[in-house]
């Protein structure tokens, strides 16, 4: 935006409007931050204060919930499980999908429409469609309560999704680069590997990160497949804290904070790229 | 150019098969990994799911191996019985109606609040980037964590929402234990979760609209409403059509919020199709065939949605 345009619109806002604007945004920010802030506060409360209706922010701050989560529960095991499963899913998803993303971005070939349809439909699959057959197949292979079953289940949605997202990213890489590669005598694979892939690293990173997040936050497959508490992922493990018979809100809030803070920091750093990635096809037009 | 290639590809007679291969083999090789993975990991389970949905497989009739003993499956082919059961059950209409209400209300609120905030943020002002970070926060928290947070906030006994209501002189509300308020609660939680993405996407869209259009409209004496109606909305349409569809699919498939916040209760009142099919398969006596049939019904609904999406894309000029 040019300096003139900037001055143009700021000058035109009356003080009353300015106040209204900021008040609205402050109210919206409070709504958006409050639940998270309350979570952090609650995690610092002693046990008896958590299950009382007091609105007092905090009386006797304590780290007891955190020491209990880290020392007396399997939180760290679950976190490691989540990281392993998500990481493998993300890496495999991107590796498998990269060339396809490129091919559907650049070439029109017989079967192109079917591939696009396939990518579109499969990434829309809700968990309810495949979970029963995949569960039964995994049970047949003896993979229930094993990480590979989860990775396989997650790949069903991340592979098409990554391909779709990377198509959007490759679309933004100018086709003249491909032509230059071809003129220099590179095969399509050579062009992809030597010229396009290095340029598309941010796109690959976003697709990988998004797959990581999907696997990280997945609940249904993890709940159904992982039956032993040494194999739980975080989403399953945490729901054990607030089961039907007891509700350990202290443990739940402390572990939520431990999960949410690193997640939020990384997320806020990359979110601009995420939105561009998801809407790439649209903004390009 | 692309249209050309497609046309020649289509028109090639059998004698041109070799030429076709020579021309397209690398494109096919590049798509092979995804096609193979999808066929194996999605296609095969899908076919098996369709088959299961035509049988009476449950936990009891499913074959299994216990130690050395292999118990053969005893389920039988029952044709379309599961589908007939679903379509004639009162459960189906109830779940479908609530799923549609849930999706429409959530997406409408996501889009309108997201667009509103994006419009507010899309101007030079103090603290803009601070507001932006604060407003994006709900998206940054993993959704299962958010569902737990809300479950605590909305707890009838010691939840802070009720504490504030009581402090203000009202009675507390049984948020998660009353069928109506439970619906309000899951919608509120999901709206809180989903607005940031819409806001960011809309903000990106707004920034792509050329300033000059607004200045020209201003010069021509257009009112703010006219500028919004005739510049902002059309300018946003590529982005908004994409995010509305993404949002619809995400909300339709939103499992964690409902499963973790209310478990579909009280009395199934917040159960959407996806969570219902899941509980059918994995809670109580596991009814695999019934759940598989529910899955196929959901798939049919999604195919309709995909067709709508493709039409929308086509109108924008994506040629496929």
């Amino acid at each position: 935006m040019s300096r003139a345009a900037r001055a143009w619109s700021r000058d035109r806002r009356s003080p009353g409007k300015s106040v209204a604007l900021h008040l609205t945004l402050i109210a919206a920010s409070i709504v958006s931050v409050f639940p998270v802030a309350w979570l952090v506060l609650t995690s610092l409360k002693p046990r008896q204060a958590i299950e009382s209706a007091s609105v007092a922010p905090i009386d006797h701050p304590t780290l007891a919930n955190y020491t209990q989560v880290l020392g007396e529960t399997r939180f760290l095991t679950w976190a490691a499980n989540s990281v392993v499963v998500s990481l493998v899913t993300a890496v495999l998803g991107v590796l498998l999908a990269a060339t396809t993303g490129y091919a559907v971005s650049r070439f029109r070939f017989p079967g192109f429409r079917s591939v696009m349809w396939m990518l579109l439909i499969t990434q829309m699959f809700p968990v309810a469609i495949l979970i029963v057959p995949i569960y039964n197949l995994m049970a047949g292979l003896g993979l229930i309560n094993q990480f590979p079953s989860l990775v396989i289940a997650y790949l069903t949605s991340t592979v098409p999704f990554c391909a779709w997202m990377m198509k959007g990213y490759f679309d933004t890489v100018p086709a003249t680069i491909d032509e230059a590669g071809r003129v220099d005598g590179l095969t399509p694979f050579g062009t992809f590997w030597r010229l396009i892939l290095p340029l598309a690293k941010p796109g690959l990173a976003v697709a990988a990160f998004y797959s990581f997040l999907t696997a990280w936050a997945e609940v249904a497959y993890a709940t159904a497949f992982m039956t032993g508490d040494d194999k739980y992922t975080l989403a399953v493990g945490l729901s054990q804290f607030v089961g039907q018979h007891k509700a350990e809100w202290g443990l739940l809030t402390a572990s939520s904070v431990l999960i949410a803070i690193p997640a939020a920091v990384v997320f806020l750093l990359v979110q601009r790229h995420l939105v561009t990635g998801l809407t790439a096809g649209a903004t390009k037009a | 150019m692309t249209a050309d290639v497609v046309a020649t590809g289509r028109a090639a007679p059998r004698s041109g098969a070799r030429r076709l291969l020579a021309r397209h083999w690398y494109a096919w090789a590049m798509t092979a990994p995804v096609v193979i993975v999808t066929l194996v990991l999605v296609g095969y389970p899908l076919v098996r799911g369709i088959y299961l949905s035509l049988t009476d497989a449950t936990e009891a009739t499913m074959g299994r191996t216990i130690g050395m003993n292999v118990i053969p499956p005893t389920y039988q082919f029952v044709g379309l019985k599961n589908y007939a059961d679903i379509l004639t059950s009162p459960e189906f209409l109830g779940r479908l109606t609530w799923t549609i209400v849930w999706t429409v209300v959530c997406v409408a609120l996501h889009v309108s609040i997201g667009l509103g905030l994006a419009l507010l943020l899309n101007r030079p002002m103090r603290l803009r980037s601070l507001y932006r970070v604060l407003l994006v926060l709900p998206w940054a928290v993993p959704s299962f964590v958010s569902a737990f947070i809300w479950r605590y906030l909305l707890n009838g006994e010691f939840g802070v929402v009720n504490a504030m209501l009581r402090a203000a002189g009202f009675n507390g509300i049984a948020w998660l234990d009353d069928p109506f308020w439970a619906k309000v609660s899951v919608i509120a939680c999901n709206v809180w979760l989903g607005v940031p993405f819409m806001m960011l996407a809309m903000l990106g869209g707004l920034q792509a609209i050329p300033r000059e259009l607004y200045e020209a409209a201003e010069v021509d004496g257009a009112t703010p409403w006219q500028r919004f109606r005739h510049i902002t909305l059309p300018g946003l349409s590529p982005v908004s059509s994409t995010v509305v569809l993404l949002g619809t699919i995400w909300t339709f498939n939103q499992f964690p919020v409902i499963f973790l916040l209310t478990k579909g209760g009280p009395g199934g009142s917040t159960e959407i199709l996806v969570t219902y099919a899941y509980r059918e398969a994995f809670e109580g006596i596991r009814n695999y065939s019934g759940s598989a049939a529910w899955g196929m019904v959901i798939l049919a609904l999604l195919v309709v949605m995909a067709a709508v999406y493709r039409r929308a894309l086509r109108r924008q000029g994506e040629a496929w």
Side-chain angles (χ1 to χ4, degrees):
Chain A
M1 195 189 303
S2 73
R3 186 175 291 255
R6 193 172 281 264
W8 168 76
S9 71
R10 184 176 282 180
D11 287 349
R12 292 180 48 93
R13 200 158 60 225
S14 66
K17 270 190 177 169
S18 250
V19 170
L21 172 68
H22 281 276
L23 282 181
T24 319
L25 285 172
I26 288 171
S29 303
I30 290 175
V31 172
S32 115
V33 172
F34 177 79
V36 181
W38 193 256
L39 168 78
V40 176
L41 283 177
T42 307
S43 72
L44 296 169
K45 286 180 181 174
R47 190 177 251 260
Q48 61 277 19
I50 288 179
E51 300 215 351
S52 75
S54 125
V55 243
I58 196 152
D59 284 333
H60 304 284
T62 163
L63 289 176
N65 293 321
Y66 288 91
T67 51
Q68 200 186 347
V69 161
L70 295 175
E72 296 168 31
T73 69
R74 296 212 163 188
F75 178 79
L76 291 175
T77 315
W78 300 335
N81 294 348
S82 279
V83 170
V84 168
V85 171
S86 315
L87 214 55
V88 175
T89 307
V91 171
L92 282 179
V94 171
L95 282 182
L96 289 168
T99 53
T100 305
Y102 177 70
V104 292
S105 159
R106 288 297 194 270
F107 309 126
R108 294 297 174 267
F109 50 91
F112 170 77
R113 283 157 58 99
S114 332
V115 172
M116 291 298 278
W117 257 109
M118 192 181 81
L119 295 181
L120 177 65
I121 304 259
T122 43
Q123 64 176 320
M124 288 168 48
F125 271 25
V127 66
I129 295 179
L130 293 179
I131 192 164
V132 168
I134 294 187
Y135 181 89
N136 290 327
L137 290 171
M138 292 303 148
L141 295 171
L143 285 176
I144 291 302
N145 202 29
Q146 306 284 333
F147 297 138
S149 63
L150 267 194
V151 172
I152 289 172
Y154 294 162
L155 284 179
T156 60
S157 67
T158 52
V159 165
F161 185 76
C162 283
W164 187 265
M165 213 163 160
M166 280 189 265
K167 174 197 184 286
Y169 195 85
F170 290 131
D171 282 346
T172 65
V173 177
T176 47
I177 294 178
D178 300 57
E179 281 154 32
R182 219 160 300 144
V183 169
D184 289 348
L186 285 174
T187 63
F189 289 104
T191 312
F192 170 71
W193 184 251
R194 299 215 192 150
L195 300 180
I196 305 297
L197 210 52
L199 284 174
K201 270 183 197 152
L204 299 189
V206 170
F209 181 68
Y210 206 89
S211 323
F212 185 91
L213 281 187
T214 318
W216 178 256
E218 205 282 331
V219 177
Y221 282 112
T223 310
F225 286 15
M226 297 291 117
T227 47
D229 79 341
D230 57 328
K231 292 287 174 56
Y232 287 166
T233 58
L234 284 170
V236 187
L238 256 63
S239 42
Q240 305 303 309
F241 291 154
V242 282
Q244 283 166 334
H245 308 298
K246 56 170 181 132
E248 296 275 4
W249 290 106
L251 295 181
L252 183 80
T253 50
S255 45
S256 296
V257 172
L258 290 175
I259 298 165
I261 286 181
V265 170
V266 176
F267 193 88
L268 292 175
L269 291 176
V270 299
Q271 38 94 2
R272 269 171 208 270
H273 305 287
L274 271 187
V275 179
T276 343
L278 287 169
T279 56
T283 39
K284 179 191 55 154
Chain B
M1 168 214 122
T2 50
D4 261 18
V5 176
V6 173
T8 39
R10 281 265 174 77
R14 195 170 302 161
S15 62
R18 184 175 295 234
R19 220 182 55 220
L20 210 62
L21 188 67
R23 187 199 284 256
H24 295 296
W25 73 272
Y26 49 83
W28 286 333
M30 282 177 169
T31 42
V34 167
V35 172
I36 293 168
V37 167
T38 314
L39 287 181
V40 174
L41 296 187
V42 181
Y44 178 56
L46 188 64
V47 171
R48 215 183 132 78
I50 294 172
Y51 172 68
L52 277 178
S53 74
L54 300 173
T55 68
D56 59 358
T58 62
E59 197 173 9
T61 56
M62 206 73 192
R64 75 192 99 173
T65 313
I66 303 170
M68 297 300 289
N69 306 321
V70 178
I71 301 168
T74 54
Y75 57 83
Q76 287 170 347
F77 189 81
V78 294
L80 293 173
K81 180 174 173 299
N82 290 314
Y83 292 95
D85 286 352
I86 288 173
L87 296 178
T88 53
S89 70
E91 201 64 51
F92 176 69
L93 260 190
R95 290 309 108 225
L96 182 65
T97 318
W98 161 239
T99 307
I100 292 172
V101 170
W102 149 263
T103 309
V104 170
V105 171
C106 283
V107 173
L109 289 172
H110 283 153
V111 171
S112 50
I113 299 175
L115 178 59
L117 290 174
L119 286 170
L120 292 181
L121 281 177
N122 187 35
R123 63 191 76 209
M125 63 173 156
R126 264 179 272 273
L127 303 178
R128 183 168 179 270
S129 31
L130 176 67
Y131 286 133
R132 196 169 176 283
V133 169
L134 294 180
L135 290 171
V136 167
L137 194 64
W139 194 27
V141 178
S143 56
F144 68 94
V145 171
S146 310
F148 288 128
I149 301 181
W150 279 79
R151 203 161 132 193
Y152 181 65
L153 294 180
L154 293 173
N155 188 294
E157 235 176 290
F158 46 83
V160 67
V161 175
N162 270 354
M164 288 195 292
L165 282 179
R166 289 197 199 101
F170 297 100
N171 284 329
I173 292 173
W175 290 103
L176 302 175
D177 301 319
D178 175 88
F180 173 75
W181 289 111
K183 287 180 179 170
V184 174
S185 303
V186 286
I187 290 178
C189 175
N190 194 47
V191 166
W192 182 81
L193 274 180
V195 161
F197 170 73
M198 291 293 173
M199 182 189 83
L200 289 182
M202 295 292 187
L203 200 53
L206 287 176
Q207 281 162 354
I209 301 174
R211 277 276 120 200
E212 294 75 38
L213 291 179
Y214 289 100
E215 285 167 35
E218 184 101 347
V219 171
D220 291 344
T223 62
W225 168 249
Q226 284 174 322
R227 274 177 275 156
F228 177 74
R229 173 76 190 74
H230 296 290
I231 301 175
T232 311
L233 284 186
L236 273 180
S237 75
V239 175
S240 52
S241 65
T242 308
V243 293
V244 165
L245 259 134
L246 274 178
T248 308
I249 296 166
W250 287 345
T251 310
F252 187 88
N253 295 345
Q254 179 58 273
F255 183 85
V257 166
I258 293 194
F259 188 72
L260 297 178
L261 198 59
T262 62
K263 283 246 166 198
S269 56
T270 54
E271 197 96 86
I272 56 173
L273 292 169
V274 177
T275 57
Y276 186 82
Y278 177 85
R279 285 152 57 84
E280 190 81 345
F282 293 102
E283 281 176 20
I285 295 171
R286 299 181 164 195
N287 181 0
Y288 293 129
S289 54
S291 176
W294 276 93
M296 294 311 138
V297 172
I298 295 171
L299 178 60
L301 295 172
L302 280 173
V303 170
V304 173
M305 276 205 290
V308 173
Y309 183 45
R310 204 183 131 220
R311 255 191 135 150
L313 275 185
R314 219 190 236 164
R315 217 170 290 148
Q316 281 172 41
E318 285 247 345
W320 59 278

